[in-house]
Each structure stands twice: as C-alpha cells, then as structure tokens.
C-alpha cells in the first residue's frame, strides 16, 4: 500500500495545521499503521490526540474490524478489569450474567486506551499479559482465552515520572511505547493558532447562521502570544464562546482578553518555559500551586469589584449579570492528587465574617482591617470549592466538570466522595 499523503489525511480527519512537529506526528502514525505494533500517543490535554488512533486504525489491515475507544480514567476502579477483560456469571455481586470485555469484542480490530496512565496497577498487569501473549482471563474465571487486538494508548501524563513514582509499570511503559507519537502543544505550533481560530470561527458562523467573528490585528497578536494551557480544545471553546456571546463581530483586544482566564496576557506565566508532555498535570512545586490559586482568586476578586462598581454606578442592571458572567473559567491548578503533591501548607487568606473567602490584594490596604478576621484556608478547602463550582457549572455532569478541572473522572469521583459532595 502506497503511503498516503499527509495533507489528504489531515483533510479526511479534520486536522487543521501545518506545523512540522504535527506533520511529523501524522507521518509516524501513517508509517506505523500497517504494522501491529503498540503505539503510545502523548501530549498535553486538548492537543488533538484522539485523531491518532483513528488514523492508525483506518490505515491498517484492521480497518474493517472494530475500533473501540475506552477512557481508562472514567471507569471506576472496581469494574475496570471486567470492562476490559469481561467477567463470568456470579464473579462478583451484581454480575448476574456473563459479559464480554473490550479485548474480546475488539478481536481483529483496534482498541484505543485513552488516559492509560490512570489504569490501576492490577489492571496494568493484565494488560501487559495480553499485549505480550494475546492471552487474557475473564474476571472470576480460570480459563485462558486468546484475542488479537492492536492497542493504541494515549496519555497526557509524564509517563517517565509515573514510572519513577511507581504508579505505572516500567515493563508496560516500554511495551506500549514501542512507537511513541508526541503531539505538540499549541504554543509549540504558534503558526497554526490563527488557522485554527479561523476554522472554528467559520464553523460556528455556519452552525448558527451568522457572520464569522474577525480579530483586529492587535487582538490577533494577543491570540498568538497567549500560552493556551488547554491547547486546541481551549482555543475552540473560547472562539465559540466569543462567537455566540459577543454581538460585535470585530473582536478588539479588550474583548478577547476578557475571555482568556486569569488575565494571564502579558504577565509572566506561572508555568513558563517550553512544554514537556504532561506539563499541565505536573507542577514543579507546591509554591506554584499556591501562586496560581492566589492569582486566580485575585482575578475573581477584581472581576467582582468591577461588577459591584458597575452596579453601583448604574452602568449595568442586575438582570444583565447572568449574561455577562457566564464565561468564568475554572482553575486547572488543583491537581493535588494527580501531581502527587500533598497539600500540606495552608495559605493564609482573610475571610470576611460570615462570607465567602476573599483575598485582599496588596493594594487594597484601605480596606478596614477590623472587618476581617484571619483564618486559614487549606488547599483542600479551595479544592473542594473548585470542585463544587465545577459541578454546579456543568449541572452535575461529572465528565464535563472533570474536563474543566483538568483531572480525570476517576480522580473527580474520589474527590467527590472524599469531600462528601455527593450528598
Ligand atoms: N489540529 C486540529 N484541528 C482541528 N481540531 C482539532 C485539532 N486538534 C484538536 N482539535 C479539536 O480539539 C478538541 C480536543 O481534541 P482531543 O483529541 O480530544 O484532545 P486530547 O485527546 O489530546 O485531549 C477536539 O474538539 C478536536 O476536534
Ligand atoms: Mg483526550
């Protein structure tokens, strides 16, 4: 089979961009597709990893077989073995019938294991076995069964770090990583940012039958230099938000800035530097988390101040508030569990009596100190609040809340239990 043309592949899979790192990643996918080798796709959240297993499947001899995508991070630990490998009748409470697992169903096809870094160690052992020998055993059975499945896995975690921390088996890592494909972050492919923006803006215009938004040159500058921690997914969301919320079709720097979280534009980024995969989930120190929490709270505070001022001066009516403040973006920082950093140090924050916590910015010294009492707000408290907010924002939809918080669904489940938020 002649190797397909990269540009055609991009068109077929709706991949926008012409960056050489991106082209390289697609090229590797095409080269490895006809083989049966395992592939590990790495890259930060939102870079577009999900197209790669599909490309690999479509250009393999398995393309008429089934393609099954499984998000390992969203299956509860208790059922994951049974979902992947199946179970026998009566193998656990609730197992009323026999069930086929994905490894059996995908026989002859491709299995995409997304967020593979979230697999529990016991499941990792089973996975290693099936990758090495094609053999697996259903939960509650002793019969060894055979399957022929090609595995493509993806993760946004730093897997070397996961191996070092003992949360991911080294042998499995090498086994999956036979062919690594790294999808570049958006800040590594700045030349694609504007292309993507225009594509999302015109898609949105078509969908809602309205003219596409256009950026003033000065706004384009901001778009290009923003660091896009949520990558293409974030760019897409923000472009859609602006398209829908703003009436004016010409987007000024001020409008654009108001949609970028934490007003990071022009400010020394907290997580500066070039990215490595999983950067988003890894903070190098606890201090960075604290900075980010404080920074975000300060931004909330400033936003609130602005709203209060506008209300007092009659510039806006209370009824307009809901419309104006829907684009609140949650802080992706509280990855206490995922980053392996223990939230030991409490940050000192002043509470106004009987009210929500506020951070008093340094330049607010004129605020009457007697109105406040010093209390401590631990990272856990902040985290709990963020999770509560995210769940509220998404009407209790855990999948969306987890995405917003940039933690896995499983971590979110655990935290909800831990903080009794399911009551
Ligand atoms: N190069 C691209 N061109 C067009 N859309 C893209 C591109 N990369 C990502 N996207 C879009 O961004 C979103 C996130 O992509 P996804 O593959 O889910 O990211 P990841 O799995 O790496 O977190 C999806 O809506 C996807 O369609
Ligand atoms: Mg994904």
């Amino acid at each position: 089979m002649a190797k397909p043309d990269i540009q055609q592949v991009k068109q077929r899979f709706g991949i926008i961009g012409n960056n050489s790192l991106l082209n390289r990643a697609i090229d590797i996918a095409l080269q490895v597709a006809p083989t049966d080798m395992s592939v590990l796709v790495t890259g930060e959240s939102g870079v577009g990893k999900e197209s790669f297993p599909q490309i690999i499947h479509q250009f393999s001899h398995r393309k008429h077989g089934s393609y099954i995508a499984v998000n390992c991070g969203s299956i509860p630990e208790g059922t994951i073995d049974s979902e992947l490998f199946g179970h026998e009748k009566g193998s656990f409470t609730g197992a009323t019938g026999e069930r086929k697992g994905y490894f059996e169903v995908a026989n002859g096809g491709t299995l995409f294991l997304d967020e593979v870094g979230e697999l529990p160690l016991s499941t990792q052992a089973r996975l290693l076995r099936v990758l090495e020998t094609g053999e697996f055993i259903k939960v509650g059975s002793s019969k060894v069964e055979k399957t022929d499945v090609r595995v493509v896995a993806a993760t946004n975690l730093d897997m070397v770090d996961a191996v070092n921390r003992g949360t991911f088996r080294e042998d499995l890592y090498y086994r999956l990583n036979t062919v690594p494909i790294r999808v570049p972050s958006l800040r590594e492919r700045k030349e694609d940012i504007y292309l993507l923006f225009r594509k999302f803006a015109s898609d949105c215009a078509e969908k809602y039958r309205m003219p596409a938004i256009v950026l003033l040159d000065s706004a384009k500058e901001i778009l290009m230099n923003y660091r896009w921690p949520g990558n293409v997914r974030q760019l897409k969301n923000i472009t859609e938000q602006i398209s829908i919320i703003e009436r004016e079709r010409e987007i000024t720097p001020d409008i654009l800035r108001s949609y970028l979280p934490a007003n990071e534009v022009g400010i020394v980024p907290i997580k500066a530097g070039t990215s490595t995969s999983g950067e988003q989930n890894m903070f190098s120190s606890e201090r960075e988390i604290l900075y980010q929490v404080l920074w975000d709270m300060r931004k909330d505070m400033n936003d609130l101040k602005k709203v209060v001022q506008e209300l007092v001066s009659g510039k806006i009516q209370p009824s307009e508030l809901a419309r104006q403040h829907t684009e609140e973006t949650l802080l992706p920082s509280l990855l206490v569990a995922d980053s392996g950093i223990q939230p030991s140090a409490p940050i000192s924050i002043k509470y106004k009596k009987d009210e929500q916590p506020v951070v008093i910015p340094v330049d607010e010294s004129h605020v009457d100190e007697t109105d406040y009492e010093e209390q401590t707000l631990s990272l856990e408290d902040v985290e709990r609040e963020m999770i509560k907010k995210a769940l509220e924002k998404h009407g209790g939809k855990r999948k969306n809340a987890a995405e917003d918080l940039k933690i896995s669904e499983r971590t979110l489940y655990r935290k909800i239990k831990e903080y009794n938020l399911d009551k």
Side-chain angles (χ1 to χ4, degrees):
M1 188 163 55
K3 212 177 88 197
D5 175 63
I6 293 187
Q7 298 306 331
Q8 280 171 6
V9 171
K10 282 196 263 192
Q11 204 164 30
R12 177 165 162 198
F13 289 87
I15 299 173
I16 305 290
N18 217 356
N19 171 274
S20 57
L21 290 172
L22 178 73
N23 287 344
R24 170 111 188 99
I26 297 170
D27 192 40
I28 299 175
L30 291 173
Q31 280 184 53
V32 76
T35 74
D36 262 341
M37 280 190 260
S38 305
V39 178
L40 181 63
V41 184
T42 60
E44 291 177 18
S45 175
V47 292
K49 293 187 290 296
E50 273 160 53
S51 302
F52 286 83
Q54 292 171 25
I55 294 175
I56 292 169
H57 178 71
Q58 285 305 324
F59 289 99
S60 75
H61 63 86
R62 298 171 178 267
K63 69 175 175 202
H64 299 297
S66 37
Y67 172 84
I68 298 181
V70 185
N71 188 322
C72 304
S74 65
I75 306 173
E77 237 178 280
T79 55
I80 197 156
D81 282 352
S82 142
E83 296 234 358
L84 289 176
F85 304 101
H87 64 245
E88 286 298 340
K89 191 175 169 179
S91 52
F92 53 86
T93 328
T96 45
E98 193 202 19
R99 190 208 136 116
K100 283 185 183 174
Y102 300 128
F103 270 95
E104 189 174 343
V105 178
N107 193 5
T110 308
L111 188 58
F112 170 37
L113 296 178
D114 200 3
E115 293 190 38
V116 74
E118 298 285 335
L119 283 180
L121 282 163
S122 56
T123 311
Q124 290 177 29
R126 285 176 182 262
L127 176 59
L128 181 66
R129 176 168 185 188
V130 76
L131 287 176
E132 283 186 333
T133 62
E135 290 172 356
F136 68 98
I137 300 174
K138 283 200 175 92
V139 175
S141 162
S142 52
K143 197 172 105 212
V144 176
E145 296 178 54
K146 278 278 209 190
T147 187
D148 169 28
V149 171
R150 201 259 184 95
V151 171
V152 180
T155 182
N156 56 10
L157 298 180
D158 179 340
M159 290 300 264
V160 174
D161 184 66
V163 167
N164 287 336
R165 282 188 292 131
T167 55
F168 205 83
R169 289 178 68 117
E170 191 173 12
D171 43 11
L172 178 59
Y173 169 64
Y174 287 120
R175 178 77 217 189
L176 284 174
N177 206 26
T178 323
V179 181
I181 293 182
R182 195 182 82 87
V183 187
S185 67
L186 197 50
R187 35 189 190 291
E188 288 171 89
R189 35 185 293 225
K190 280 193 169 186
E191 69 269 40
D192 290 345
I193 294 179
Y194 191 55
L195 282 179
L196 284 158
F197 167 82
R198 283 214 316 231
K199 166 80 170 118
F200 297 144
S202 75
D203 283 355
C204 212
E206 199 173 309
K207 189 164 159 196
Y208 298 103
R209 301 213 180 98
M210 56 189 181
I213 50 168
V214 286
L215 290 179
L216 295 182
D217 282 350
S218 43
K220 186 175 161 191
E221 192 87 353
I222 292 173
L223 189 87
M224 307 279 289
N225 288 311
Y226 180 63
R227 61 186 188 83
W228 299 109
N231 295 292
V232 184
R233 180 180 291 117
Q234 185 189 14
L235 175 60
K236 189 173 179 180
N237 287 345
I238 284 178
T239 309
E240 285 173 357
Q241 279 177 24
I242 301 178
S243 300
I244 292 162
I245 296 171
E246 294 300 323
R247 280 193 193 149
E248 185 56 59
R249 298 283 89 185
E250 274 198 353
I251 304 305
T252 63
D254 278 351
I255 295 179
L256 177 59
R257 254 191 230 108
S258 70
Y259 285 85
L260 299 176
N263 277 349
E264 287 156 332
V265 192
I267 287 156
V268 183
I270 292 162
K271 291 173 282 170
T274 48
S275 71
T276 53
S277 66
E279 181 217 15
Q280 256 188 291
N281 286 345
M282 299 295 154
F283 288 83
S284 55
S285 72
E286 200 165 322
R287 174 183 292 212
E288 286 187 359
I289 297 186
L290 296 179
Y291 275 154
Q292 189 143 7
V293 169
L294 288 169
W295 185 252
D296 209 63
M297 286 187 153
R298 199 187 125 134
K299 194 230 165 205
D300 283 351
M301 165 84 175
N302 286 336
D303 286 353
L304 273 173
K305 236 170 61 186
K306 217 172 91 198
V307 172
V308 170
Q309 272 165 6
E310 285 174 350
L311 271 175
V312 169
S313 68
K315 239 168 94 187
I316 55 167
Q317 296 301 312
S319 55
E320 287 175 57
L321 277 182
R323 190 185 70 78
Q324 287 205 2
H325 293 271
T326 47
E327 72 269 24
E328 175 187 29
T329 310
L330 279 156
L331 169 73
S333 63
L334 295 162
L335 297 154
V336 177
D338 287 8
S339 61
I341 299 166
Q342 287 308 309
S344 53
I347 36 178
S348 178
I349 284 177
K350 294 187 173 183
Y351 273 131
K352 187 152 187 184
K353 287 182 191 118
D354 307 314
E355 275 189 31
Q356 290 295 312
V358 290
V359 179
I360 305 177
V362 215
D363 59 350
E364 294 293 293
S365 43
H366 60 273
V367 173
D368 187 0
E369 284 288 322
T370 55
D371 276 342
Y372 296 88
E373 56 184 23
E374 186 103 49
Q375 285 196 12
T376 53
L377 180 65
S378 70
L379 267 180
E380 279 113 326
D381 293 337
V382 180
E383 186 177 65
R384 185 175 192 280
E385 273 311 301
M386 301 307 290
I387 290 173
K388 236 172 84 184
K389 257 166 94 182
L391 286 167
E392 277 165 20
K393 178 175 162 193
H394 294 286
K397 286 213 180 82
R398 293 178 178 186
K399 183 171 189 293
N400 300 355
E403 219 162 67
D404 215 344
L405 291 161
K406 302 211 165 49
I407 57 178
S408 69
E409 259 180 276
R410 171 130 28 83
T411 302
L412 182 61
Y413 276 113
R414 203 181 61 233
K415 301 245 162 233
I416 288 171
K417 281 235 156 62
E418 200 176 308
Y419 295 132
N420 274 326
L421 289 171
D422 48 356
K423 297 285 148 355

